[in-house]
Amino acid sequence: MIDLVPGELRRIAVLGAHCDDVAIGAGGTLLTLCAARPGIRVEALVLSGGGTERESEERDALAAFCPGADLRVTVGKMPDGRLPAHWDEAKRAVEDLHVRISPDLILAPHPGDAHQDHRGLAELVTTAFRDHLVLGYEIVKWDGDLGRPNAYQPLMPAVAEAKVALLWEHYPSQRRRSWFDREAFTGLARIRGIECQTRYAEAFYLRKLTLDLAGG
Ligand SMILES: [Zn+2]
């Protein structure tokens, strides 16, 4: 296992099917990235929740997870759980994002996710962004779809703790859900930490990677 250090990371795109997906899947990574790169541009697209209380939760949460960033958030109004029926609308939203930004890194759901909205968005992302580094985040759920991710972002213990605290603070609408708690989030981060020889980590699925071993 080696560290791959990106040459330049000035613009990133983050995508979620639902409000809270990005924060749960990659909140610690966002905190880490934004702390290290003040002013980094973060373009966020969330497909559903627009116009509801979940949109305001999401805007506040992403602002907290991206401190110091040049953050722009778009929240669409697709109904939860209906992505296949709204495929064209979702596709257009992802393509519009591609017009707004050419990201150095994309954080999105991964194609093996059991939730059809997550899986569908993952497919749209790899279709629209063919020349980009895409890291697919994971989300614990009832379906039991945790797998074997292959890319890890270690998290400082304080960052892992901050992630859990921010999730709890900013998504009150989700607190009643059985999987939305400190143990679940911290436990998974600890397990992913074990897998990459650190205390805590977030893990991702990386489908393709182009190497530049000459360092040019
Ligand atoms: Zn979701």
Side-chain angles (χ1 to χ4, degrees):
M1 189 178 288
I2 62 165
D3 294 334
L4 283 176
V5 182
E8 257 189 316
L9 215 47
R10 289 185 299 195
R11 295 173 302 270
I12 68 171
V14 298
L15 296 95
H18 315 108
C19 296
D20 79 11
D21 285 354
V22 167
I24 291 172
T29 297
L30 280 175
L31 285 168
T32 303
L33 266 172
C34 294
R37 294 177 173 77
I40 188 173
R41 182 164 167 215
V42 179
E43 184 84 38
L45 171 64
V46 180
L47 295 180
S48 64
T52 71
E53 62 167 348
R54 300 211 62 193
E55 176 173 358
S56 46
E57 283 182 353
E58 182 72 345
R59 289 184 179 280
D60 289 348
L62 289 179
F65 276 104
C66 302
D70 174 10
L71 171 67
R72 300 166 207 192
V73 179
T74 303
V75 182
K77 294 185 174 179
M78 286 183 25
D80 191 339
R82 306 285 299 153
L83 191 141
H86 294 259
W87 190 258
D88 290 345
E89 186 184 341
K91 189 164 190 279
R92 206 173 316 119
V94 173
E95 288 168 354
D96 287 349
L97 177 75
H98 194 4
V99 172
R100 291 197 295 279
I101 189 170
S102 179
D104 303 311
L105 168 67
I106 299 171
L107 301 170
H110 74 93
D113 195 297
H115 192 305
Q116 64 181 6
D117 291 355
H118 299 181
R119 199 167 58 241
L121 178 56
E123 193 180 319
L124 288 171
V125 168
T126 41
T127 306
F129 293 92
R130 292 172 173 256
D131 199 18
H132 300 76
L133 176 61
V134 182
L135 295 179
Y137 55 71
E138 57 179 352
I139 294 182
V140 176
K141 61 179 77 64
W142 171 86
D143 311 72
D145 63 353
L146 289 181
R148 303 172 98 179
N150 52 13
Y152 296 85
Q153 171 62 51
L155 301 178
M156 300 289 288
V159 171
E161 281 172 28
K163 172 185 174 179
V164 176
L166 289 175
L167 285 172
W168 190 256
E169 177 186 347
H170 286 286
Y171 295 103
S173 71
Q174 303 304 298
R175 287 178 194 163
R176 63 191 161 78
R177 297 190 185 271
S178 61
W179 46 267
F180 197 92
D181 65 35
R182 164 175 290 273
E183 280 183 318
F185 298 132
T186 308
L188 181 60
R190 178 70 189 103
I191 289 166
R192 295 319 187 195
I194 290 169
E195 293 171 354
C196 68
Q197 306 247 53
T198 186
R199 187 75 194 166
Y200 298 107
E202 279 174 344
F204 300 92
Y205 292 84
L206 176 61
R207 197 170 74 84
K208 277 189 189 179
L209 178 70
T210 304
L211 300 171
D212 175 11
L213 296 178

